Amino acid sequence: MRIKRIGAVVATAAVALTVAACGGSSGGAGAQGGGAGAQPYIAIVSKGFQHQFWQAVKQGAEQEAAKQNVRITFEGPATEADIEGQVTMLTNALARQPNVLGFAALDSRAAAPLLQQAKSRNIPVVAFDSGVDSGIPVTTAATDNKAAAAEAAKHMAEALGGTGKVALVVHDQTSRSGIDRRDGFVEWMKANAPGIELLPPQYGGGDQAKSADITKSILAANPDVKGIYGSNEGSAIGVVRGVQESGRSGLTVIGFDSGQAQIDAIRGGTMLGAITQNPVGMGQQLVDASVKAMHGESLPKVIDTGFFWYDKSNIDSPEIKAVLYQ
Amino acid sequence: MTSPTVTEEERQTAPASVRRTLRDRIQQFLAFASLIVIFGFFSMVSPNFFNYGNVTNILFSTVVIGLLALGTTFVIITGGIDLSIGTGMALCAVISGVLIVNTGLPLPIGVLGAILFGGLLGLVNGLNVAVLGLPPFIATLAMMLVAQGLALVVSNSTPIYFDQTPGYIDLSIGSLVPGANFPNAVLILAVVAVLAGVLLNKTVLGRYTYSIGSNEEATALSGIDVRRWKILIYTLAGLFTGLAGVMISARLGSAQPATGMGYELQAIAAVVIGGTSLSGGKGSIVGTVIGALIISVLNNGLQIMSIPQEWQNVILGCVILLAVYADMARKRAR
C-alpha cells in the first residue's frame, strides 16, 4: 500500500521534472542557440519583468540584439521591493559568464559588491533606467525623470490657468524615479506657478487599487482639488479610477508612462495627457551601448533615452505611437 | 509540569512516535532524493551550474529564507502559522540600522538588539495566540502589517546604509575561512540549523512542540502549561526572524524597510516541502533545511539555464504542490 503511494509520488515527481525540462528546452533554445561562445552574450537584470514598461524595454533590447547578432537574457524581480531577489539574480547572471552586464538597480549600493566583482572580472556594466551610484558602469541609459516631471507640471499649470489646488499620487518615496518624478513636478510648480497650491504628495506603491483609494480620500478631504498627477502607470491609472469612482468631473488628470488603460483615458477625456518615456528606445540603446562597451568604444556618461508629452492631439502620430505600449 | 507526568505521556505515545519517526524518515528521504535529482539534472544541462562559485551562491541565497524557515518550523509543528516573519525581518533589519548606524552602538550590541527585538515581536505574537486565544493566522497577519508599517515609520521610509560599518557587512559576505571565499552567512545558517535541530529533538521544548501540535488538549490535560510553551515557541521563532533581519541587511549593506513581504510564504513553502505538516505534530529541521535548499537550487538552476522567468514560478509552484501531495499520500497510507 505504502509502496504504491510512494510510486505515485515518484511518478508525479517525474511529471514535474518533465515540465521543468520542457520549460528548459523552450527557454534554452533561445539561450543556447548561438552555441557556447559563438555569440556575444549580454545578461540584463532589470527592476521588474511583468510590468508592461519592462516588457517594452525587453522588446527593444531583443530587437537590437537581433540586429547586432548578440544573445541576451532579460530578467527582473517580481516586485520592486524585492532587493534581495534582484541581488541573487545578479549573482546568477554573473555565474553565466556574460560579456556585458546590463543592470537597472533597485538599490545600487546593495549591489555594490557584485558590481565590483563584475569589474574585477572585466565584465563591463551598462546601467539603465536609473543611475547606479558608483563609478563602475561605463554608461547609463535612462530617462531624465526630473525634466520629464517638470514637463508634466508645465502642462498641469497651463491647463489650470495657473491657479488651483493640485494633488500628487506618487509611486514611492524611496526609489530614484519616485523621488525625481515628485521633485521635478514640485520644484517646477514652486518656481513657475505661484498660483498653484500643491497638496502633500501621497504614495500608492504604484498599485492601481491603492492609488485609486488614495485619490478618493484626497477628493473627499479637498473637494476643491482641480488637478491630480499620477507618477507612473499604476499610479496614473489608479488616479483615473479614483476620479471615476468618486463621480467627479472637470478634474485635470496628468499621468506618466502608457498602457492600454491610460491610453483609453486620454482618448476618452478623463485624462488630459501623460508623459511617456521611451522604453523600447531604452532597450535598444542599452544593447547598443553594451555592444560598444564590449568592443571597448568610449561612451558618454549618460545616454538620455528621451521622453514625450502626449495627449488627444498627438496620440496617433507615428512618433508617439512608436513609443507607447498597450 | 513534573517529570513523572512527562514520563507517563511519553510512555503512552511511544508507539505512535516510533511510527511517526519512520514516516518522517521516508518523507525526508523523498525530499532529499528530490534535492539530489534536481541538483543532478541542473549539473547535466548547464555547464555553469556545478562549480564551487555557483554552489556557494546557492548556499548563500538560502540563508535568509532558511533562517526564517527554521524558526517557523517550530510554530508550524505546534499547528500554528507565523505570517509576520517576512515584514518582521524587515523591521528587525531597520532596528539594527537604527542601533548601529543612527545611534552608533557597537556592532555586537546592535546585532543582539535586533535579534532580541525579533524575539519581542514573537513574544507579542505568542501572547496574542496563547493568552488572547486569537487564531495564529489572524494574530500574525496583523503583526505582518504592523511590522511593515513600523519598518517604514522607524526608518522614515529610507534605507539605512551600513557603509561606515564594514564589519557588519562581513557578517554576511565576509569569509572566516581565509582565501576560501566562503560567506560567513552560510556558516551562521549551518550553526543555527544545528542548534534548532538540538532544540527540537533533544529538549523538553522540542518534545512539547510536537506534543502541542499532535493533540493540544491532551497535552494540557497531562499537566503541561500549553500557554507558556506556546508563548516561548513564538518568541523563539521571533529570534530567528531577528537574526534573518540582521543577515539580510548585512548582505545588502543596508536595511531596506520596504522589503520582506512574501518572504514568509517562501519560508512556509520551504517548511512544507521539507515534510512538516501544516496541521501540526510532524516535521523536522533536516526537512526544512532540505526544503529551503530545494527552493534555492530550483531558483538558481532555472536562472542559470536562462529559463524564461514566467516559467520559473510555475515550476516552483508545481514542486510545492508535489510536496504537499506527498505529505497527504503519506497520511492516507497510515
Side-chain angles (χ1 to χ4, degrees):
Chain A
M1 183 66 176
R2 179 172 294 162
I3 303 284
K4 217 167 162 187
R5 296 287 179 199
I6 292 171
V9 170
V10 170
T12 322
V15 171
L17 273 174
T18 317
V19 171
C22 288
S25 57
S26 71
Q32 285 149 11
Q39 235 179 344
Y41 166 47
I42 302 165
I44 300 170
V45 177
S46 125
K47 286 161 115 173
F49 82 107
Q50 48 207 357
H51 197 283
Q52 292 295 310
F53 180 83
W54 299 116
Q55 288 292 332
V57 175
K58 182 182 175 191
Q59 193 193 324
E62 278 167 352
Q63 286 168 9
E64 190 67 20
K67 219 165 84 188
Q68 306 244 22
N69 193 27
V70 293
R71 177 165 76 84
I72 64 162
T73 53
F74 190 102
E75 61 201 332
T79 73
E80 298 206 356
D82 190 8
I83 294 160
E84 199 207 11
Q86 194 191 39
V87 169
T88 301
M89 279 175 180
L90 198 59
T91 311
N92 294 342
L94 284 173
R96 294 196 298 259
Q97 322 282 354
N99 298 84
V100 185
L101 180 70
F103 182 47
L106 287 174
D107 184 318
S108 46
R109 286 156 88 179
L114 285 163
L115 294 178
Q116 201 59 51
Q117 195 192 329
K119 193 187 174 183
S120 63
R121 282 169 53 188
N122 287 322
I123 300 170
V125 178
V126 175
F128 68 105
D129 184 60
S130 55
V132 171
D133 292 330
S134 117
I136 292 174
V138 289
T139 184
T140 302
T143 308
D144 185 345
N145 276 309
K146 249 182 149 170
E151 180 77 9
K154 195 178 106 196
H155 283 275
M156 178 69 85
E158 275 169 17
L160 298 181
T163 55
K165 260 189 196 172
V166 170
L168 291 82
V169 178
V170 179
H171 52 286
D172 72 64
Q173 64 265 63
T174 50
S175 77
R176 198 68 248 164
S177 72
I179 294 168
D180 284 350
R181 289 185 199 172
R182 175 193 66 200
D183 292 353
F185 191 90
V186 171
E187 283 164 18
W188 190 93
M189 282 296 188
K190 282 196 176 137
N192 302 294
I196 298 275
E197 184 196 338
L198 289 179
L199 296 171
Q202 301 288 318
Y203 303 93
D207 180 79
Q208 292 185 19
K210 210 169 153 193
S211 303
D213 290 339
I214 289 174
T215 304
K216 285 200 279 189
S217 14
I218 292 174
L219 290 172
N222 307 277
D224 53 341
V225 162
K226 292 278 188 294
I228 309 182
Y229 159 66
S231 70
N232 75 351
E233 184 186 343
S235 311
I237 295 168
V239 169
V240 168
R241 283 243 157 97
V243 170
Q244 282 168 343
E245 287 171 11
S246 66
R248 290 281 302 271
S249 58
L251 283 163
T252 302
V253 176
I254 286 180
F256 216 110
D257 294 337
S258 44
Q260 191 61 53
Q262 203 160 191
I263 293 169
D264 289 347
I266 290 172
R267 284 191 202 282
T270 4
M271 187 181 272
L272 176 70
I275 297 287
T276 174
Q277 305 181 71
N278 187 354
V280 177
M282 188 183 286
Q284 290 166 339
Q285 305 242 33
L286 163 65
V287 171
D288 183 56
S290 300
V291 171
K292 284 182 175 145
M294 195 167 64
H295 298 312
E297 289 176 42
S298 74
L299 287 157
K301 200 77 207 125
V302 177
I303 300 170
D304 184 3
T305 53
F307 62 86
F308 304 94
W309 164 260
Y310 70 105
D311 56 20
K312 243 183 194 170
S313 69
N314 66 349
I315 196 166
D316 290 316
S317 73
E319 186 195 37
I320 295 298
K321 253 193 163 158
V323 294
L324 296 184
Y325 52 88
Q326 297 294 304
Chain B
M1 181 204 55
T2 53
S3 53
T5 328
V6 176
T7 327
E8 182 66 23
E9 138 100 30
E10 260 187 311
R11 195 144 44 84
Q12 279 173 0
T13 58
S17 76
V18 168
R19 253 186 290 142
R20 186 187 71 204
T21 318
L22 189 67
R23 280 201 308 270
D24 283 352
R25 289 265 157 80
I26 293 173
Q27 170 71 15
Q28 267 173 32
F29 173 75
L30 276 180
F32 187 66
S34 333
L35 178 62
I36 297 299
V37 168
I38 296 169
F39 198 89
F41 173 75
F42 285 128
S43 304
M44 278 189 300
V45 296
S46 173
N48 295 324
F49 181 80
F50 189 61
N51 57 57
Y52 180 76
N54 193 51
V55 172
T56 314
N57 286 345
I58 294 173
L59 294 174
F60 188 45
S61 68
T62 314
V63 171
V64 172
I65 295 297
L67 287 171
L68 292 176
L70 287 174
T72 214
T73 301
F74 287 84
V75 171
I76 291 178
I77 292 176
T78 68
I81 194 93
D82 191 345
L83 298 177
S84 70
I85 52 178
T87 59
M89 167 190 81
L91 177 54
C92 292
V94 167
I95 294 296
S96 175
V98 167
L99 295 178
I100 294 170
V101 179
N102 299 4
T103 319
L105 289 174
L107 275 190
I109 296 179
V111 168
L112 197 66
I115 295 172
L116 290 178
F117 191 86
L120 182 69
L121 294 178
L123 176 68
V124 175
N125 281 333
L127 289 171
N128 284 336
V129 169
V131 179
L132 297 184
L134 294 175
F137 189 94
I138 302 299
T140 59
L141 179 76
M143 181 56 87
M144 167 173 99
L145 297 170
V146 169
Q148 187 190 31
L150 280 182
L152 291 168
V153 170
V154 175
S155 65
N156 203 11
S157 300
T158 28
I160 304 172
Y161 292 94
F162 294 92
D163 296 9
Q164 303 310 315
T165 48
Y168 187 77
I169 297 171
D170 279 345
L171 277 178
S172 171
I173 61 177
S175 183
L176 264 186
V177 194
N181 206 7
F182 192 77
N184 291 337
V186 179
L187 296 178
I188 291 176
L189 175 64
V191 169
V192 171
V194 170
L195 282 178
V198 170
L199 262 180
L200 189 59
N201 296 315
K202 305 282 179 212
T203 67
V204 161
L205 175 98
R207 208 170 322 139
Y208 291 165
T209 305
Y210 282 114
S211 175
I212 292 171
S214 310
N215 192 336
E216 191 171 332
E217 235 172 284
T219 311
L221 285 176
S222 59
I224 294 163
D225 188 349
V226 170
R227 279 185 183 184
R228 211 185 74 186
W229 288 101
K230 266 193 175 175
I231 294 173
L232 203 62
I233 290 162
Y234 276 89
T235 309
L236 178 72
L239 294 173
F240 283 88
T241 306
L243 181 59
V246 170
M247 295 318 293
I248 194 172
S249 52
R251 177 185 188 186
L252 299 175
S254 55
Q256 298 283 350
T259 196
M261 195 65 106
Y263 280 67
E264 66 285 343
L265 296 179
Q266 288 191 55
I268 292 168
V271 175
V272 170
I273 290 175
T276 297
S277 162
L278 280 180
S279 46
K282 288 194 297 279
S284 70
I285 293 298
V286 177
T288 294
V289 170
I290 293 172
L293 281 172
I294 287 181
I295 291 185
S296 45
V297 166
L298 272 176
N299 275 332
N300 175 281
L302 296 173
Q303 282 175 19
I304 290 284
M305 278 177 72
S306 309
I307 295 215
Q309 207 171 350
E310 294 83 344
W311 279 101
Q312 295 180 12
N313 280 344
V314 173
I315 295 165
L316 199 56
C318 288
V319 171
I320 294 172
L321 279 180
L322 196 67
V324 180
Y325 176 75
D327 189 46
M328 281 165 50
R330 195 160 51 91
K331 247 186 264 170
R332 266 189 266 113
R334 187 187 295 188

